[in-house]
Every structure is written in C-alpha cells, then in structure tokens.
Amino acid sequence: MSRLEEREAALLALASRVVELAGRGESLEAYALHNVGTSVSAFEGAIERLTSAETLGVGLRLIVGGALGFAATSDVSDEGLALALAEARSNAELGTPDLGNVLPSPPTMLPEPVPGLVDGSLPDVPAARKVAIALELDRLTASLDPRVRRAEGVSYGDAATSVAVCSSAGVAASYSRTDAYAFVSALARSGDETQTGSGFTEGRGVDALDLTAAAREAVDRSVRLLGARKPATATVPVVLDRGVTADFLGVLADAFSADAVQKGRSLLAGQLGQRVASEIVTIVDDGRAAGSPGAAPFDDEGVATRRTPVITAGVLTGYLHNTETAAREGGAARSTGNAARGSYATAPGVAPTNLLLDHPGIDPADVLRMAGTGLYVQQVSGIHSGVNQVSGELSVGATGLWIRDGELAEPVRELTVSSTIPDMLGALLAVGNDRRWYPRGGSFAGCTVLIGAMTVAGS
Amino acid sequence: MLDESDVRDVLAAALASGGDWAEIYAERRDSTAIHLEDHRIEQLTSNRLQGAGVRVVKGTQSAYAHTNVLRRAALLDAAKAAAAGIAGDRPVSVADLTRTEPAVRHPARLAPHQVGKADKVAIARRCEEAAWAEGTEVRQVSVSYADVAQRVLIANSLGQLADTTRIRTRLAASVVAARDGLVQTGFEGPGASKGLEHFDEHPPEGIGALAAQRALRLLDSVPMPAGQMTVVLSAGGGGVLFHEACGHGLEADAIGKDNSVYSRTRGERVGSELFSGVDDPTLPGAWGSYEFDDEGTPARSATLFDHGDQVGVLSDRISAHRIGARSTGHGRRQSYAHLPQPRMANSLVLPGSDDPAAIIADVTDGLYCVELGGGEVKSATGDFVFGVNEGYLIERGELTRRVRGATLIGNGPRTLALVDAVGTDFELKQGMCGKGGQWVPVSFGTPTLRIASLTVGGTAA
C-alpha cells in the first residue's frame, strides 16, 4: 500500500470507530478528513516561506428524535472523540426536530470511483523540488518582458487529502485526491504607473504544472494594462474574460442551491420550467467532469456525485440538493450529490461540484468581433460585495481593455460595470470555445462570453 | 497547555541546524456556533480546535510546520521538519524564557463557558423574533451567534514567552424583505472582544430589528445613477474605505517589497491635512483588539497618517526586519495552521472639527453612504472598489431618494487627498478581513467624512 492508501484506510477505520459509539435511537455520522500539504512562497529570487501542514479532524452529525446536533474535534484520541460526542448530544437536545434531519441511506452500489484523482508520486516529491518550482516561476516571470522586472509574489502549493464518511445508516466510503498549483502575480511598471496581472497552473501533481504558461499569462495581463485610463460612462456590449465568467458562475452558484431556494434567498426560486437565460445558455453541475478540480466519487455525506443540468437552453431545469434539502421536499426530490462542507468542522450545506457552461462555443476572436465596440473585462474586483445574491443587482469594479472594430484596443481602469444577473443571463449572446477550470472557492469553468449590454461607469 | 521544558526543547530542536530565531505558537480554541433560519435551529455546533506550529526564521525567510497533536513527540517532529527548511551550519542556542506582560488586558466578565447552551440559543431566538416582528414584508430571517475562547501560548528562542486568552462574542442578523417582486437584504452584526456581557450593550432584539429595518428601507429605494460626484460617508460607515484604501497598502510586507502604492511616499504628505488615522489593537474590548499579537509582541497603537502626512506602517517581525524596523505588534494569524502576516486590528480615522449635519448641507449634488459593504483593493496600484449597502442621494444639501446598487471606485492616495471635511462624531463597526487566505476579526471606525469627488457605479439605466 502506498502512503496515501495507508492514510485513507486509517481514516476509514477512525470514522467507523466513531460510529460504533452511537447509542440506541441515535443516528450518527462521522466525516473524517486528513490533509497533508506543502506551500512555498518566493520573492525576488529567494524563498520566503516554506510550510509543511498536516490537518486531521472529524465532524460528528448526530440525530435523535429528528433533532440535529453537530460537534467537531481535531483531538482524535478516545477522550477527544468521547468529548465531541457528548457535545453533539447536548446540542441535539436543544435542536429543533425537522423533516430535513436525516442521514443518507447507503447506496445500493458503492459510488463508481473517479479515475485520475491521485498522482501517487506527490507525497514523495522532496521539498527541494517544490522550492525549485517556486523559484523557477519567479525567474520566468522576471525574464519575459522588460516592463516586468519582477513578480509581486509567487506561490506553490500542494495537498494530499483523504476523506472518509461512515454512518450508523450504513454508509462507509473513502477516497483520496492530490492537488498541486503554482500562482504568480506580475508587476508591470512604466514611469510612475504600476499594473498587476496574475497567472496560474494546476494539476494533480508537480509534473502537470506548466510554469512558462503561468508566467506568460501573468506578464501579458499586467503589461497590457499599462497606460490604462478611466473610460467615459456608457452602456455598451461587454466581453468577459474566461476567468471573469468563472467569477460570475461562482456568484450565480448559490442561486441553484435548493437550500437557498427553500429559504427564499435564491433569485431563481419559483422559476423551474421557466426561461431564465438566453437560448445558448446551458449550465451543468458535473461532479465527475474529466480534468476538473472539483471531481470526487461522492459528496461530503457519501452520496455518489453525478451530472445535473440546472439551466438547459435557457430554461431553469433543476436545483442542487443534498440529503437534507431533498428530504424537506417530502419525496419530490432526491439528493443530487451536492452536500458540501467548508471543512470537517462544519455540517454539510449545498454547493456545486464543478459548474460549467455547456456549449461547444466559437473562437474567442469571433466573440470580440461580434461585440464590435465595447468593453473587454479582464478582471473584476469587489464581486462578493458588489452583487446582491437575492435581488441579482450587481455593480463591480473592473479593469480591462476597450474593444474597437472587434479587436482589443486601449486599456481602461477605475470603472464599474453594472447590470442584474437575470439581465446578464438574458443578454448572453456568445460563448467562446476556450473553456478552462478555475478554482475560485469551488470549481468553475470559465470561457469568453459576450453580454449584449452593461452599464459602464467611468468619468 | 504546554510544559515549559518541552517548549525549550522544541525551540532547541528547531534551531539544531541554524537560523536567526525560532518560535512555537500553540492554541486551544473552544467555540460555539448557533445558526437560526426559517424559524428553526439550522445548526448548533461545538468545535474544539487545538494545535501548534513551529517556525524557524533566517532573515526574511521562514520555514513552518504544524501539528494538531499537542504532545512532546509530535512537537519535536514539527520542529525537525521546520529546521529542515532553513539551511544553516550550526545550532543556535535558546535564551531563558521570560513572561512578557501586555500593555492592556481585555477581560471577559461573563465567559462563554459560564453560560449554558440553552441560554445562548435564547439570545439568538430573541434576535430572530425581533426581526420577524418588523412586519409582513420580512420574508426570511437568519441569525448567527458565535462565541470563541482561544488560549494562546507563544514562545521564541529570543526568550519571550506570552500567554493570553482571547474571548470574542458576536451576534449577527441577516434579513430578506420583499415587496412586489423586489427583494432586498439587511444586515447587522456587532461583535466584541468580550464575553456575553456584550449583549448588555447590544441587546439581541435591537440587532434583529435593525437588520430588518435596513432590508425594509431598501424596498423604498431606487437604482443608483452612475457618475462622478461628491460622496459623504457616515460616522462608522466610511471605516471600510480607510481599511481597504489605506490600511492594506501600509502593511509592511507590501511596503517592504515595494508592492504598495504607498511604498515610495513614506514621510510625505499624501492625504488632505484634515486626515489622521491610526490602528489601535489596545482599544478596550473592541472586536479586533488583542493583548499580544500572534508573535507575542504586546499590542500598541500605530499612527499611520498625521494631518495628511504618511508616517507609519503596520508590521510583524519579518516585515519589520525587511524595512529595518521593530514590529509594531500587528503580526496576526487565523490559527496555528497559518504563518503570521502584518494585519490591521482596529483601524480608525480620528475625528475632526466639522459639524456632521453641515458636511451634508454643503453638498449640492452627491451621495450619502450610511453603510458600505465589503470591498477590495490592489495594494500595488491603490485601486479600490466597494459596494454601498445603504445610501441616499444628496440634492441641494438635503437627503432625498434612497438608492441601491451603488458602488464606489477610486484610488487610495488620490481619494485621501480629496477629503475636504471630517466630522466631530465617531462610530466603530466590525468585520472579518481576508488576506492571503487567512481571516481575522477587525474593527473600523470613522467620523463623518466627505470626499470631494469619486466615481460611483450604479444600476440605473
């Protein structure tokens, strides 16, 4: 057995040991997580920080008489686990009995494994190799363009993660995954002016990283903003960079959550079967998408992941459920495998696995041509404060380039773009064929898109 | 939490192959979280988090390893892992440990463990019921109660030992209101470095009612027209602007690496002469306060701007070393699993001499912001953006229509220079600040502030 396999087996044994502590009339679930990672940051040709991290913890979900109590601990000794169970019991005593408080029943078949989640060599990569990756990305970034003399910062990170879920309802499942990434922010200078641009590369292991591409991306994105000015206020067609599309998918994600719908917090509540977007918009949550960062065989309560279309050709066709939100629908829904936890220390909520615009798309250059004159948004800021999740109104800061005659022209900064999420979905006129996965506190696939009109505020 | 002789041995192991200094940071954190939504207890969670990290530092380089097993053998393993990350030739000795005393304490009168869970649920319920009671247009109420008791021990090879307990309490209400298809949200969430006596000062009912009233008020709002205009920020409401537009740019990591728009203006006049600002972690009982920072340096106030002159920075040990200074006591980390970074605690703009009412009355055409939402800034350029949660148009010196969907966008130093009125009033607000993937509690406080001209984004067609 490899080191990672051994760790996963030990974790499954830990979770099952917890479940054996359940008393009569108690439903108990243990979610155990073991994460071993390294991170490195470099600055001006030297290593700044090297961190070795190991996290092990377990979250206990206890249901008694329909009431839920939760407790978590990073102390996995017998005493630590007993203390956590006592906390969960006292929390359940105060809980409100609810239809939604049920644990998933075990699947008739074990979830199909998802291939390619592990690069078995990662746990054995020496720290020196990781240090060399960070230094190399730092060096490359400073060598591509005379206006970029150095990086603002460079980081490398990796993690080998094992997850185990066991419950008194009969669930017993585990899997492991590995992840590696490198990130760089380039600093372009011209006279007194400074602009930044970022690039990244990610994969299952260090061999999957393309450092040259990440450096090139960061340098190009910083340099092309030099000389940026504030544009005049106008309402124009807007082309979103694929990373910005991923940002907006991230904002839209919560609207698809059945939990948000049931609580009246979703702007898509009550619109199943209705047109909510232009015909070219098909959005799918795919927990098994090939090559996606968010792929896993089962969700954070052990339910098999799957493919769930939420918008099909502009029509709202579904919401994302975990076991709790499905149970609240009283048999009208079942879990879509979208239970998600922030960490072992939180009870599951609902979140997308991998959210993507499902469209073959056209050449991104043709998307620009369709826009004619307008704004190309390279980066947005303040997206989490600038979007009202409930009303869908949005106004965010942006930097980018003006589009003239269907091509990128002069850079612009210090502007805001505004619209509403329903208006943006309705005015989505073209999709590029340049899909790329972005880890943005979730996994979202970006591609270049054209929005027919948005308000751009400058001077 | 840890035995002093174990601490010494761990520090010695960390420096076995050299380095300038080493440190151990250990914590045990007990927290309770209650979440009510849809008239029911959605979550009642207890969490115990414990762990320790060992850091070896050489110049501006650090190697770090952490574990959540607080036993001698695991700590020695972490020390060896950290030591392996720093190249040195010979062992460095560890000085005798001396306990440091803080300049100020933030004692809790009613610690979380002295109050039963049922009573904590009752506090959240009172808040929830008050929000629902604001009327039939209230469609959803969610309430979050959180308390944390964190015991921290920090020791370093230079001989400093700090031991501190931090208690924080917060209650937040988020309300959704709707009328004729228009849906709006309101939020209120005061927190403090106090125990449950916090709720004597901030009764739960008031928090729920205020959040509901904010959501209801927005139902009467019109979309904001975009353009360039004079902007007045209410007392407290402008705090996040100072935090984003100045505070982050004055953190010594960005300054020392010349990654901040403020790197090249140290000692120069940057802001209007009406503008003075500090960061003060010693503010008694404030949400962002502490006794020691997360490197064991006693908390003290740092002056950032004095009548428009840029005079100071916020630093931890390493960023201070980079600029040839001493730590200002602003090294903070989210938990033992993170390395410290220079961070704000309670960032404050000091009151001035203008009558707050007159500040508005003098504006012909502008925007009055009662409350700003979160924001973002690029330290390298100083460009910032943030949302306006509650705002009013100012027309001929009067507050007229309530507006929604407004966004402020600008540049830090240029905005500071355009401050043309500072009120005699002052208010403090609370939030969570994110940097480098780490979240820490912060407060921001301001008087009423006026900015002569700023770009405002809006959703009006």
Side-chain angles (χ1 to χ4, degrees), chain B residues 97-111:
Chain B
L97 295 173
T98 311
R99 208 164 277 270
T100 320
E101 286 304 316
V104 63
R105 297 252 180 217
H106 304 285
R109 283 209 319 276
L110 192 55

Side-chain angles (χ1 to χ4, degrees), chain B residues 72-125:
Chain B
R72 182 183 166 87
L75 297 172
L76 286 170
D77 281 347
K80 282 176 204 150
I86 291 286
D89 39 15
R90 58 202 155 88
V92 173
S93 63
V94 177
D96 286 337
L97 295 173
T98 311
R99 208 164 277 270
T100 320
E101 286 304 316
V104 63
R105 297 252 180 217
H106 304 285
R109 283 209 319 276
L110 192 55
H113 74 268
Q114 295 174 286
V115 180
K117 273 184 208 160
D119 292 334
K120 296 175 184 176
V121 170
I123 287 169
R125 283 281 188 209

Side-chain angles (χ1 to χ4, degrees), chain A residues 47-50 52 56 87 90-91 150 152 189 230 263 265 328 381-382 385 390 393 395 413 418, chain B residues 37 40 42 46 61-62 64 68 117 140 183 257-259 340 374 376 383 385 404 407 455 458:
Chain A
I47 288 303
E48 202 180 16
R49 297 173 161 199
L50 168 65
S52 325
L56 171 63
E87 286 287 340
S90 79
N91 290 344
R150 65 176 175 87
E152 183 184 23
R189 287 213 162 116
K230 193 184 281 203
K263 290 169 182 161
R265 276 194 285 107
R328 277 202 220 123
S381 56
S385 55
V390 178
E393 290 165 320
S395 174
R413 71 189 281 202
S418 48
Chain B
E37 192 162 2
R40 60 189 194 91
E42 168 101 353
S46 310
Q61 294 190 308
S62 48
Y64 193 60
N68 57 15
K117 273 184 208 160
Q140 188 56 271
V183 183
K257 294 175 180 175
D258 193 14
N259 278 349
E376 239 181 272
D383 290 348
V385 60
R404 62 172 187 271
T407 306
T455 299

